[in-house]
Every structure is written in structure tokens, then in C-alpha cells.
Amino acid sequence: MAPPAASQRYPSPSQPSGKSEVSDLKTQLRQLAGSRAPGVDDSKRDLYKKVISYMTIGIDVSSVFGEMVMCSATSDIVLKKMCYLYVGNYAKGNPDLSLLTINFLQRDCKDEDPMIRGLALRSLCSLRVPNLVEYLVGPLWSGLKDNNSYVRTIAVTGVLKLYHISPSTCIDADFPATLKSLMLHDSDAQVVANCLSALQEIWSLEASHSEEACREKESLLSKPVIYYFLNRIKEFNEWAQCLILELAVKYVPSDSNDIFDIMNLLEDRLQHANGAVVLATVKVFLQLTLSMTDVHQQVYERIKSPLLTLVSSGSPEQSYAILSHLHLLVVRAPFIFAADYKHFYCQYNEPSYVKKLKLEMLTAVANESNTYEIVTELCEYAANVDIAIARESIRAVGKIALQQYDVNAIVDRLLQFLEMEKDYVTAETLVLVKDLLRKYPQWSHDCISVVGGISSKNIQEPKAKAALIWMLGEYAQDMSDAPYVLENLIENWEEEHSAEVRLHLLTAAMKCFFKRAPETQKALGIALAAGIADFHQDVHDRALFYYRVLQYDVHVAERVVSPPKQAVSVFADTQSSEIKDRIFDEFNSLSVIYQKPSYMFTDKEHRGPFEFSDELGNISITPEASSDIVPAQQYEANDKDLLLGVDEKDDNKGLSNNNGSAYTAPSLESSSSISSQMQELAISGPATSATTPQSSFGFDDLFGLGLSTAPAPTPSPPILKLNPRAALDPGAFQQKWRQLPISLTQECSVNPQGIAALTVPQSLIRHMQSHSIHCIASGGQSPNFKFFFFAQKESEPSNYLAECIINTSSAKAQIKVKADEQSTSQAFTTVFETALSKFGLP
């Protein structure tokens, strides 16, 4: 059915049908302006409601400004409120019209009704027109001396508004001194709280260029002022109490008696029903006792009960906020909360974000006495219908096992997970089993016997597949079919899109070769050939390195790739202790919720001018904090078995210190001998070449690979032509970025000349644009820079989006690619990496 014609549509009752509607309103308001007939106020109300309604939906009704002011001469407080609302909305944009309001607002400031006096004063100060500042001083003085507390409260806020309009007028009129006097002597708690808030803001802004303001600001932290507020704290509302408690946190006590006096005054605030007041009080207690270790521990015991009560009695949002602060305390003192672990059990009706945080807390409070109960509870969550929670519960079990609590029972539970025949459970468990074997090698027999029965075809997640491949290489001697499973995976090399998995395949094939050479020789040859031809730079480099170290000396290759392993004692923490201390100092703030210091998500100087705020947290790292954060490659070394273990680093140093050649073997003593059959494989190149399917390479060397002794260049990738004049609206980019899945995630190196050129980030933007890759947003500062790029196919409107984070310290670039055509993502990534590799070169 076709929509009705425009002339047939009915106008909305809340929207004028044309300009005549506003003109009619203007005429009607003018007629009522001087009328005193009975019921005229009701007629004015109806007209005022229409005007406010139109104004609210964005229709310009400024043409009736004069009529609205004329109609304001009434004692009806509802009309007054609507008129003040209208005037405040249009006054700033129409300063000339604002002059019309001064007389009636000043008249209303002297009204007998304190409510009207306060409303008029608030509206007068909200005009925010610099030319009208002179008209504010008199009414503000009268308001500060008014007998009614409501008017005084409005006047105090008006002084702050005046300061923001004209600081000099506010200071010259000596309003700060008057506010200070009111703060210390007024009987109304709300007036006192407003005075404190206004003075803190005024003196903080003035302190940068006034010594007197600095002294006044410091006087707020004097002992008499602090005790004056704390003795009256029960009179204030929740907002004012939090303001006072934030002030008390900055107070420096003179001695221990001073500390105990303050804590005694605030003891009952821990029982307050408002969570903000409780958290602010907790912060005061914690900060005051930092230098008193025994008392500080007693504070943890004291604040535990109120916080746990708030968790169970509030809304999910409040519970999450309190739990976030509890989590920070649990990490600092887990033994205090160990007996209360049942408070952190998940309830069926809790949202997933609360459950996830509770799982982290269960992990933190686990110890020898409660591990069995906690792990039993976590195992129940593994069958949860919420897959994300099931994954987190399995990870929590693994983290507890890595803390050396009741390892025997936990390993048995983890191995039972592998029998659940759920893909995501198997995937998470494999990753944890890998970490457990790195720390507890003695459990290899039990774990491998179960892992050996898992088919690699049923594992699709890259991290899980990489973990299985690591075990196949590390324990090839204990898994009868390890060479054949690896061979099957290597034969499907081209179908494996994850560079992480391909890297693990190379390393596992090498390890398996050293343990079971005859069965692995063919697979290793295929893996090295495929790796050397791989477009991913890291895969190519590793395959080439393995080939050359094998060519040099198979004994050295074994010592480098598969040395005797030492158990990993400690896994790297994702946050440094300095970062955690900084978050603790910002207790009772968003820093605790976000689990990062405030400068990482509020300071524009450090986060960069990005349009896409949801991506800011990834690179908001300051120079001061960057030295405390573990570099990305250290995480990678912990999560992946890349090339060397922790105990191999000393051996590897020799490779780079022998005449400057990266491929010269170090002068190491011979390790345990390799079988004679393996030596023959490494020496008799032509014979090996004849027996392998890789003979098409035509090279008389190891495994029949057709490579010369010179470094082989990476094969040229398929050419993708891009549109040099591509255009994309920022809004469209942001929408596509949120909707499209990530096609590829890769890491590549940036040459030293490019790192040096990044002192001017615009140079990279111009360089990429010369390769038809355009930048739509950028930001950050050394050592982290972040760029958003887009490109389009030359022949058709197909978009490619890329996020590039460059760390100048590690000379690495993290690249995420999203594309309309997933099939061409690899080709675009190759073009992108090629362009980036040329950055800074002449």
C-alpha cells in the first residue's frame, strides 16, 4: 500500500505544521501578556508547554523571546520555571535578546517566595553572557546573605558560574573569601558542601598563577578544617559525604593518634547503605594506614564485611563496581579473603560480567585449604550454557594449578574435560595442559596418554591447535603417531591461515626429527619448503633459519631447537607491580573498574586524537609506564614455543657474537650424540633428495630443498591493484570496522629508518598514501603509534580496513585487516606489509 500524499498526512500534535504555527503562538502570547482575566495563567501554561515542546525537539522558537519575557510577570511558579528554562536555552545564542531578561530576573531575585528567588538567581547566572557580568554581582551578594538556605545554595553555585564567565570579576568582588566564611559558619550542610566544592575548583584553577590561592587551597587540608567536616559528616547527603572523604584522603596526619581519631570518627560510615560512601571511607582507611603494616592488615579485616554485604545486596551494576574494588584488595592480600571464598560463587541469575569477575577472584583467593572446594565449583561452570563463562572457568582451574595448589587432583579434572567432547572445552583445556606440562614435566605420561587420543581434525582454534602441535613435538618419543599427525597437518599447510600454528608446525617438525628421524624426514622437508615459500615474514625467516642451522651442523641444530628443558617456575604477569600500585592509589575511581591507571583512558596527551574511542585502551601507554610493561615479544615467548626456551637464551647469544654472523655456529661442546642414521640423513644430500618427493627443487642438499647458500628472497605475492583516489566517510569507516570480522592479524618488523622517520607520524601517512593506502585516523606518541587505514580495489568498490599499531621500542607493527572480500585479505595484507617495509628507505 502506497503512503498517503504529503497533503493528506496528519500533522504530529507535538510538531508545528508550518511557520504559521509559531506565528500564532507569538500572537497569542502577546495578547495574554498584559491580561489579568481569570484563568489567564492556565492559558499561558498551555502556550508555554507548546513552546517548550517545540524547543525540545529542535524547532527554533527564538522569535517569541520577547513575548515569553512579557508573559513572565506572574506569581505562578510553574510558569516561572518554564520561562526560565526557555530563557536559559536561548540567551547564550542571542546575547542581545538576553538584555530583555535582566530586569524581570533581577525583580524576581527580590520576590517574597524563596523558591522564585532561587530559581531567578539560578537562571540569571546561567545566561553565561560576558556582557551581562556586571548585573550578576549584586544579586549574588544578596543571595549569599539570604535568610533561606535554598537561595544561599543557589548563590554559591552562581559564584562558581561567575568565575567561569569572568574570573577577574569573581576575584575582585572577593567572593572566595565570602564562600570560605560561609563554609566554616553556615548552619545548612548543603550550603557548606557547595562552598567546599566551589572553593576547591576556584582555588585549583587559580593556584597556577597565584601564591595566595595555593595557600588557601592548602588551608583546606589543615587539621581544624578536616575535623570540622568530619564532625559534621552525618549532616551531609551522600554526594557531600563523598566530597569530604575525598578531601580527608589528602590529609597528612601528624601522628598515629591523629590516624586513630579520624578512623573512629568515620567508623559508622562503613555501615552506610550507599556504596559510594563506603568505598570513599575504605579509601581513607587504606591510605591513612599504609605506613602501619599491622594496622593496615586489621583495616582489611574490618572493611571486608561491609564490602561483601554490598556485593550481595545491590544491583548487578553496583555489585560489579564493589567486586572490582574487592578484586584489587584480594590481589594485594588474598589470605584475608581466603575463608570467604563462597561469597564469590556465581549465581545463576547474575550477568556474565559479574560472573567473570568472580571467577578471577576465586582464582586469587585459592590456597591449600580451599583449593578442592573452589576447583569443584569451577568444574561445574565448565558445563555452563554461557560458553564465555565455561571458557573462563577452565582457565581459572588452570591458573590455580599453576599456583601449585593440589596439582594432582586438578590435573585429573583437566583431563576429564578432554572427554566432554565439546570443542571449546577441549580447546581451552589443551592450552592449559600445555602450560601445565611446561611447569610440571613429571605429569607428561598421564597427560600425553589422554591428549594422544584427540584428533587434530576436531580442533579449529589456533591457540588450541598450536598447543597440541607443541605437545606432538615436545613428547614425540611418547606419542606413537606423532610424526604421522604432524605430517598430515603439514600436508594441509596451505589451508592453515594462522601464522602461530605454522610457526609451531616448523618447530614441532624439527623436534620430532631429532627424536624420530626416519619417520619425520619427509614431513620436515615439506614443512621447510612450505615455510620458506610462506608470505608471512616470521614463518619464512624461521624456516630459513632452521634450514641453515641444519645445513651447518645437525648437532648444533638439536642444541638450539630442542635442548634439555627446565620447568618454568613463574609465568609473566600482564601488569607490572607499578601499574597495580598506581591503580591502588586511584581507589574508588574508574581506574579500578577499567583495571588501568587513569592516564591510560582520560589524558588526551597520551591517548592521541582518535575518533574511535573504543580502540583507545590498546595503545594508551605513556613513556613513564612503557618501561614497566612487558614487551609483546615476551608475552609471545611465554604463550608460544617460538624458537628458544627460557633456558636456551644463553646458548643463543653465541650465535650473534661470532664474527658478526647470524648463521655462524657457536663454539659449544658436543651434546649427546645423535643416531648414526640421522647423521647420514644430514650428510648424504643427493641420496636424500632422490628418496623424497621434494626432488623437484633440484638441489643436492638436505631434504631435497632447492635453495642456494645465499639468503633466498621471499617470493613475490600476487599483485592487488588499489584505487589511488579511494574515499571513505569516517562514519562509514567506523560502522564497517564494528561490523566486519577480523580477516587477518599479523605482526611484522619495521626497518630502523622507518622507526627514525616516525618522529613525524605524518611521514608514514604520506608514504602509505603514495601506495594508495589512505589514513583516516591516527594518534599516540612514542613508543606506541596507532593508525587506521583504508583502501579500495581499483576495479570495484571493495573496501579494505586496517589497524596498524607500531611500537618503536621493539620495531614491530601489529596489523589487523578487515575486508569486504575475505578471499583477498591476504593479498591486501601483502601489499600493506610491502609498503610498510619500504617506509623510511630512500
Side-chain angles (χ1 to χ4, degrees):
M1 181 177 178
S7 60
Q8 298 175 344
R9 295 177 186 171
Y10 296 100
S12 170
S14 62
Q15 189 170 358
S17 58
K19 293 184 178 180
S20 61
E21 182 85 8
V22 178
S23 300
D24 291 344
L25 280 175
K26 186 173 183 179
T27 302
Q28 294 177 41
L29 284 169
R30 186 173 296 175
Q31 292 173 351
L32 295 176
S35 175
R36 296 186 178 181
V40 69
D41 284 347
D42 293 336
S43 301
K44 286 183 180 179
R45 279 193 186 190
D46 294 337
L47 294 176
Y48 271 36
K49 287 178 181 178
K50 284 187 178 182
V51 172
I52 298 299
S53 174
Y54 296 163
M55 182 183 74
T56 303
I57 62 177
I59 296 172
D60 184 13
V61 286
S62 59
S63 59
V64 300
F65 195 97
E67 286 71 18
M68 290 286 287
V69 172
M70 285 190 291
C71 288
S72 63
T74 177
S75 59
D76 189 333
I77 193 169
V78 176
L79 286 174
K80 292 281 188 184
K81 286 183 178 181
M82 287 193 284
C83 184
Y84 296 154
L85 178 63
Y86 173 87
V87 168
N89 185 67
Y90 283 108
K92 189 175 181 181
N94 302 274
D96 295 334
L97 293 176
S98 301
L99 288 170
L100 301 175
T101 66
I102 295 299
N103 289 332
F104 92 86
L105 286 176
Q106 286 186 327
R107 183 176 64 250
D108 286 350
C109 285
K110 300 175 183 178
D111 195 275
E112 295 180 356
D113 189 343
M115 182 65 69
I116 293 179
R117 293 202 303 271
L119 289 173
L121 184 58
R122 183 176 65 181
S123 300
L124 185 63
C125 296
S126 299
L127 296 179
R128 299 184 183 275
V129 179
N131 296 335
L132 305 181
V133 167
E134 58 186 288
Y135 299 103
L136 302 182
V137 177
L140 282 175
W141 273 116
S142 301
L144 291 174
K145 298 175 182 178
D146 199 282
N147 293 328
N148 188 273
S149 60
Y150 171 72
V151 180
R152 295 199 302 275
T153 302
I154 296 296
V156 171
T157 307
V159 170
L160 184 58
K161 293 179 180 178
L162 173 63
Y163 176 82
H164 286 296
I165 299 171
S166 176
S168 59
T169 303
C170 181
I171 300 300
D172 293 342
D174 203 24
F175 278 126
T178 305
L179 293 187
K180 183 177 181 180
S181 177
L182 270 179
M183 180 183 71
L184 297 177
H185 301 99
D186 200 286
S187 59
D188 187 81
Q190 189 60 48
V191 175
V192 174
N194 280 20
C195 288
L196 174 61
S197 178
L199 287 174
Q200 282 183 314
E201 188 167 344
I202 291 173
W203 284 337
S204 295
L205 295 172
E206 285 290 310
S208 60
H209 52 271
S210 171
E211 292 184 3
E212 183 181 356
C214 289
R215 291 192 297 270
E216 293 289 355
K217 183 180 177 182
E218 292 174 0
S219 69
L220 291 176
L221 298 176
S222 62
K223 185 173 181 178
V225 174
I226 293 295
Y227 275 81
Y228 165 75
F229 283 124
L230 295 182
N231 282 315
R232 294 189 60 182
I233 195 168
K234 295 180 182 179
E235 303 174 20
F236 296 94
N237 60 22
E238 288 87 349
W239 169 79
Q241 289 186 35
C242 292
L243 186 67
I244 292 169
L245 291 169
E246 283 298 319
L247 185 68
V249 168
K250 303 173 186 176
Y251 173 65
V252 180
S254 56
D255 52 31
S256 59
N257 292 330
D258 203 4
I259 293 175
F260 290 120
D261 289 342
I262 293 176
M263 293 172 67
N264 288 332
L265 286 171
L266 296 177
E267 174 74 15
D268 61 338
R269 296 300 92 191
L270 291 174
Q271 309 300 326
H272 201 282
N274 186 279
V277 175
V278 175
L279 286 176
T281 307
V282 168
K283 183 175 182 178
V284 174
F285 279 41
L286 293 173
Q287 293 294 334
L288 288 177
T289 58
L290 275 177
S291 59
M292 307 166 68
T293 306
D294 295 338
V295 179
H296 193 69
Q297 182 173 336
Q298 293 175 17
V299 167
Y300 276 83
E301 293 281 2
R302 178 65 186 86
I303 65 179
K304 178 175 63 174
S305 179
L307 292 177
L308 291 175
T309 301
L310 282 173
V311 168
S312 59
S313 61
S315 63
E317 294 78 13
Q318 175 177 309
S319 296
Y320 182 79
I322 303 297
L323 276 172
S324 298
H325 289 79
L326 266 173
H327 180 257
L328 180 63
L329 300 177
V330 166
V331 171
R332 293 176 69 89
F335 58 93
I336 299 292
F337 300 86
D340 302 283
Y341 64 91
K342 290 185 179 179
H343 285 87
F344 308 131
Y345 282 178
C346 299
Q347 305 297 322
Y348 76 95
N349 58 346
E350 289 177 333
S352 58
Y353 56 86
V354 173
K355 290 181 179 179
K356 182 178 178 181
L357 190 54
K358 283 190 171 183
L359 292 177
E360 294 179 13
M361 300 184 71
L362 285 173
T363 304
V365 300
N367 59 20
E368 294 88 342
S369 62
N370 60 22
T371 295
Y372 178 80
E373 290 80 5
I374 291 177
V375 171
T376 301
E377 181 73 13
L378 291 174
C379 289
E380 294 294 327
Y381 304 153
N384 198 294
V385 293
D386 188 340
I387 295 178
I389 297 301
R391 288 177 179 272
E392 288 294 335
S393 64
I394 297 171
R395 291 172 194 159
V397 173
K399 290 177 184 177
I400 294 175
L402 294 176
Q403 294 172 0
Q404 298 181 342
Y405 299 134
D406 196 12
V407 179
N408 299 351
I410 296 177
V411 171
D412 292 338
R413 297 290 183 89
L414 285 175
L415 295 180
Q416 290 175 11
F417 287 157
L418 295 175
E419 301 172 359
M420 291 181 65
E421 297 183 353
K422 292 184 178 180
D423 294 343
Y424 60 90
V425 174
T426 302
E428 292 294 338
T429 306
L430 282 175
V431 176
L432 291 177
V433 168
K434 181 200 74 171
D435 290 339
L436 284 173
L437 290 178
R438 293 175 65 195
K439 188 166 186 178
Y440 310 112
Q442 66 271 21
W443 283 93
S444 60
H445 179 74
D446 293 331
C447 293
I448 294 305
S449 61
V450 178
V451 172
I454 299 175
S455 173
S456 61
K457 296 180 181 179
N458 298 329
I459 303 172
Q460 302 300 324
E461 297 184 22
K463 283 189 176 295
K465 188 177 289 187
L468 177 61
I469 292 170
W470 179 86
M471 286 183 271
L472 290 171
E474 194 70 25
Y475 299 97
Q477 72 279 7
D478 300 325
M479 303 174 71
S480 59
D481 58 347
Y484 311 106
V485 176
L486 287 173
E487 182 176 5
N488 181 58
L489 291 168
I490 292 170
E491 288 176 351
N492 297 316
W493 182 280
E494 297 298 331
E495 299 176 6
E496 185 52 64
H497 301 294
S498 171
E500 177 184 359
V501 174
R502 300 201 297 273
L503 288 168
H504 276 80
L505 274 175
L506 285 170
T507 303
M510 288 284 288
K511 291 180 177 179
C512 192
F513 173 74
F514 294 128
K515 296 164 185 173
R516 300 170 67 172
E519 300 165 277
T520 316
Q521 176 191 349
K522 175 182 174 181
L524 180 58
I526 298 173
L528 291 176
I532 292 172
D534 200 286
F535 289 142
H536 194 281
Q537 192 65 46
D538 290 341
V539 177
H540 168 79
D541 290 350
R542 180 176 295 189
L544 192 59
F545 171 72
Y546 283 169
Y547 163 74
R548 287 191 172 151
V549 74
L550 281 170
Q551 185 183 41
Y552 176 82
D553 191 328
V554 72
H555 299 276
V556 173
E558 185 187 21
R559 292 201 297 272
V560 169
V561 179
S562 186
K565 292 286 185 182
Q566 293 182 1
V568 177
S569 57
V570 179
F571 286 85
D573 196 351
T574 55
Q575 277 189 338
S576 65
S577 57
E578 290 80 3
I579 293 291
K580 292 178 180 177
D581 290 340
R582 181 71 176 267
I583 296 173
F584 181 77
D585 292 338
E586 297 174 2
F587 193 89
N588 192 26
S589 70
L590 286 176
S591 298
V592 181
I593 306 295
Y594 294 155
Q595 297 186 9
K596 60 177 69 173
S598 59
Y599 66 79
M600 288 188 177
F601 59 88
T602 58
D603 194 344
K604 292 182 180 179
E605 178 184 354
H606 297 299
R607 73 185 185 191
F610 295 125
E611 292 187 38
F612 311 108
S613 58
D614 55 332
E615 303 288 343
L616 296 182
N618 294 337
I619 69 164
S620 300
I621 300 174
T622 60
E624 293 86 352
S626 61
S627 60
D628 301 330
I629 297 176
V630 182
Q633 60 267 28
Q634 292 187 26
Y635 293 133
E636 191 176 51
N638 285 322
D639 294 335
K640 310 173 187 176
D641 182 30
L642 294 181
L643 177 60
L644 301 177
V646 176
D647 56 335
E648 301 164 0
K649 292 181 180 178
D650 295 336
D651 291 346
N652 187 42
K653 290 178 181 177
L655 289 172
S656 59
N657 295 329
N658 196 332
N659 300 326
S661 174
Y663 296 107
T664 303
S667 56
L668 300 172
E669 296 180 3
S670 177
S671 64
S672 59
S673 61
I674 306 176
S675 65
S676 59
Q677 185 179 18
M678 190 182 300
Q679 294 178 8
E680 291 175 3
L681 287 170
I683 296 172
S684 57
T688 303
S689 176
T691 59
T692 66
Q694 302 295 326
S695 57
S696 59
F697 284 87
F699 179 70
D700 293 336
D701 202 351
L702 189 64
F703 308 110
L705 296 177
L707 297 172
S708 62
T709 56
T714 305
S716 300
I719 298 175
L720 176 69
K721 293 185 178 181
L722 300 176
N723 182 5
R725 297 182 180 179
L728 188 63
D729 180 74
F733 182 98
Q734 188 168 6
Q735 184 177 8
K736 280 182 172 291
W737 184 261
R738 288 174 176 169
Q739 292 176 350
L740 292 174
I742 297 176
S743 303
L744 286 172
T745 300
Q746 294 192 178
E747 181 181 86
C748 65
S749 301
V750 182
N751 62 68
Q753 295 90 335
I755 295 298
L758 263 180
T759 52
V760 183
Q762 290 296 326
S763 59
L764 175 61
I765 295 174
R766 291 192 294 269
H767 170 79
M768 299 301 285
Q769 190 171 1
S770 67
H771 290 78
S772 302
I773 301 174
H774 309 272
C775 180
I776 199 166
S778 64
Q781 67 175 30
S782 181
N784 292 282
F785 295 91
K786 187 171 187 178
F787 303 87
F788 286 96
F789 294 100
F790 73 92
Q792 293 174 348
K793 262 189 176 182
E794 188 176 43
S795 57
E796 54 186 283
S798 179
N799 294 295
Y800 301 96
L801 314 182
E803 175 196 81
C804 180
I805 302 175
I806 300 178
N807 184 288
T808 54
S809 299
S810 61
K812 294 285 187 182
Q814 298 280 348
I815 302 169
K816 290 181 183 177
V817 175
K818 300 184 178 183
D820 290 338
E821 292 183 22
Q822 302 290 325
S823 58
T824 57
S825 299
Q826 181 63 60
F828 171 74
T829 305
T830 303
V831 173
F832 190 96
E833 290 185 355
T834 302
L836 187 61
S837 66
K838 297 178 181 178
F839 175 53
L841 298 178

